[in-house]
Amino acid sequence: MIALTGKQHIALMIGKKLSFLQLLTHQKGCKVAKRSKSPAQIKAEIQRLNSELAQAEAREGERIGALAVKSGLHEINCSDADFIKAFKEIAARFRSAHEKSEQTA
């Protein structure tokens, strides 16, 4: 490898069309700190993520609803409160089984 003088090194970097900041940090081996996001950018990201979450929850709701229909739950005459209670029991059963499997892994 050929040793370059400071001016030659700068000329080479300029030939690569680097910005002044890139040139400066590259020459000194510095890393530029990432700019923090503005409150507006953070709010926009939160809004986008909330929308994404709502869509994911809707897809899961449709999937679980389809499974409920396949299992015949739609034919049972039961109050919403009873269904919610039963669903919570099922969720607790699967959570405890999942936690047990993670402990043995």
Side-chain angles (χ1 to χ4, degrees):
M1 180 171 215
I2 300 172
L4 300 175
T5 66
K7 288 181 181 178
Q8 290 171 329
H9 187 72
I10 291 172
L12 177 66
M13 300 313 258
I14 291 173
K16 291 184 178 179
K17 297 182 180 173
L18 296 178
S19 71
F20 176 73
L21 184 59
Q22 289 172 318
L23 177 64
L24 183 63
T25 58
H26 181 79
Q27 184 179 3
K28 294 192 178 213
C30 300
K31 291 190 178 184
V32 177
K34 186 177 176 183
R35 283 184 31 183
S36 61
K37 295 178 184 177
S38 71
Q41 289 172 319
I42 294 169
K43 287 176 183 177
E45 189 173 341
I46 290 170
Q47 187 175 12
R48 181 187 60 79
L49 290 172
N50 281 331
S51 174
E52 193 175 320
L53 176 61
Q55 291 172 0
E57 288 174 341
R59 282 191 308 270
E60 283 300 302
E62 290 172 7
R63 184 181 74 84
I64 291 169
L67 293 171
V69 169
K70 284 182 181 180
S71 67
L73 282 176
H74 67 290
E75 296 173 352
I76 298 173
N77 190 11
C78 188
S79 72
D80 287 356
D82 288 339
F83 271 130
I84 290 171
K85 182 181 174 186
F87 289 147
K88 285 183 178 184
E89 291 169 0
I90 291 168
R93 188 178 88 206
F94 279 99
R95 277 191 195 108
S96 71
H98 180 71
E99 288 170 359
K100 287 178 185 177
S101 69
E102 283 185 346
Q103 289 174 355
T104 59

